[in-house]
């Protein structure tokens, strides 16, 4: 799957917080369109991230990296490791969105420095990669603060921004309503974000943190196109707890 196929319709990915290629291989075999390696809220190292990128890529799934911050050095290193793109937290302005694009793209489109690592075939594939990065890198901004909502159209208008994803916990927290996803203020903010994306032709969606199939279907019905479903740690936790609960119920 290439970038154009990924962004042309509904796409569902997931989050990885466990730094094992076994987890990456299992999830890449499950049917997700993309997988995001989370460097913000996990202990995954760059060495582990490269191994996860490799196994996800080899399984034919798009490997993305959720950065710890909007940091051009980190962007350069994960892209050189072979990530197809980045998901950037707390992008609150057009200037911050432009900084991401500059860090992902080589000159003249951006300012990323040139190296010869895995992405470039350790040198032998540099020319091919140079052409690939012009059109195929994927840049996703996270909208997760009231300032981002206020600037949403300016952010999504930045050339090179391909999609957005709402971080519901941080967004609700910045509104003084942590976790209150049914509050009128939060729903109004979601509608403003969704309307801007639709107006500008930028696909977007939510991160459904708890792996709930009904919540996923509802999210799709609401018109979201770029959806993150679950986290590896939450999936394991819920499977264990539900299994034990059923067993205890049988005994009782």
């Amino acid at each position: 799957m290439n970038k154009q196929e990924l962004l042309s319709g509904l796409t569902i990915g997931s989050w990885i917080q466990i730094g094992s290629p076994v987890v990456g291989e299992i999830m890449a075999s499950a049917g997700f369109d993309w997988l995001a390696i989370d460097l913000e809220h996990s202990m995954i190292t760059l060495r582990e991230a490269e191994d996860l990128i490799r196994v996800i890529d080899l399984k034919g799934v798009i490997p993305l990296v959720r950065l710890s911050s909007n940091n051009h050095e980190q962007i350069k290193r994960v892209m050189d490791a072979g990530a197809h793109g980045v998901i950037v937290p707390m992008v609150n302005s057009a200037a911050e969105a432009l900084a991401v694009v500059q860090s992902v793209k080589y000159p003249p489109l951006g300012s990323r420095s040139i190296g010869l690592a895995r992405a470039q075939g350790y040198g032998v594939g540099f020319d091919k990669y140079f052409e690939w990065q012009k059109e195929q890198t994927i840049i996703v901004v996270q909208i997760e603060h009231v300032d981002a909502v206020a600037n949403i159209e300016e952010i999504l208008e930045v050339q090179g921004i391909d999609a957005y994803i709402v971080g519901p916990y941080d967004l609700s927290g910045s509104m003084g309503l942590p976790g209150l996803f049914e509050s009128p203020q939060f729903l109004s903010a979601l509608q403003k974000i969704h309307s801007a994306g639709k107006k500008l032709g930028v696909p977007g969606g939510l991160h459904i943190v708890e792996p709930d199939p009904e919540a996923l279907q509802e999210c799709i019905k609401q018109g979201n196109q770029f959806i993150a479903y679950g986290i590896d740690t939450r999936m394991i936790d819920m499977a264990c707890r539900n299994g034990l609960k059923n067993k205890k119920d049988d005994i009782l």
Side-chain angles (χ1 to χ4, degrees):
M1 178 180 288
N2 61 29
K3 171 181 171 178
Q4 288 69 32
E5 292 170 332
L6 182 74
L7 300 176
S8 63
L10 173 64
T11 173
I12 301 173
S14 192
W15 239 241
I16 295 179
Q17 292 188 328
I18 301 171
S20 167
V22 173
V23 173
E25 187 172 24
I26 290 170
M27 294 183 73
S29 301
F32 290 109
D33 300 306
W34 54 268
L35 289 168
I37 300 156
D38 183 12
L39 298 186
E40 183 180 16
H41 293 299
S42 79
M43 298 301 108
I44 293 175
T45 65
L46 285 173
R47 170 72 266 174
E48 291 168 334
E50 183 182 35
D51 286 339
L52 284 163
I53 289 167
R54 180 180 290 108
V55 72
I56 294 166
D57 197 8
L58 290 173
K59 293 292 289 185
V61 176
I62 291 180
L64 303 176
V65 175
R66 199 268 284 272
L67 306 170
S68 59
S69 66
N70 190 349
N71 181 299
H72 74 279
E73 292 291 340
Q74 191 176 66
I75 291 173
K76 173 176 60 180
R77 297 186 74 182
V78 300
M79 293 302 296
D80 282 352
H84 287 205
V86 293
I87 300 175
V88 189
M90 287 291 175
V91 175
N92 295 334
S93 69
E96 292 175 2
L98 180 59
V100 180
V101 177
Q102 290 285 309
S103 297
V104 168
K105 301 288 189 180
Y106 287 144
L109 300 176
S111 58
R112 176 180 164 195
S113 66
I114 295 172
L116 303 177
R118 177 179 178 272
Q120 301 86 8
Y122 305 101
V124 70
F126 175 75
D127 290 343
K128 181 178 179 180
Y129 182 79
F130 186 85
E131 292 303 314
W132 178 91
Q133 61 85 35
K134 292 179 182 178
E135 300 292 338
Q136 295 300 321
T137 53
I138 299 166
I139 301 174
V140 183
V141 292
Q142 284 196 269
I143 305 301
E144 46 188 352
H145 195 276
V146 288
D147 291 346
V149 178
N151 300 321
I152 186 62
E153 289 201 17
E154 291 89 344
I155 292 170
L156 299 185
E157 283 174 341
V158 172
Q159 187 173 2
I161 299 301
D162 298 303
Y164 70 86
I165 190 164
V166 175
Y169 282 99
D170 280 329
L171 177 57
S172 63
S174 76
M175 302 172 71
L177 303 164
L180 300 180
F181 302 139
E182 299 303 320
S183 68
Q185 299 97 313
F186 182 78
L187 293 175
S188 177
L190 286 185
Q191 184 56 50
K192 182 176 181 179
I193 296 166
H194 182 74
S195 296
K198 188 173 182 179
K199 174 184 175 181
L200 297 170
V202 179
L206 295 168
H207 186 182
I208 303 170
V209 176
E210 294 299 309
D212 179 350
E214 291 184 3
L216 176 60
Q217 290 303 315
E218 182 61 28
C219 190
I220 294 170
K221 288 179 183 178
Q222 291 171 355
N224 293 289
Q225 293 178 279
F226 194 88
I227 302 171
Y229 180 69
I231 304 173
D232 53 2
T233 52
R234 294 301 307 129
M235 292 176 181
I236 293 171
D237 179 70
M238 288 185 68
C240 292
R241 291 177 186 274
N242 289 338
L244 288 173
K245 179 180 181 297
N246 293 337
K247 185 64 176 177
K248 290 176 181 177
D249 288 345
D250 290 343
I251 295 173
L252 296 175

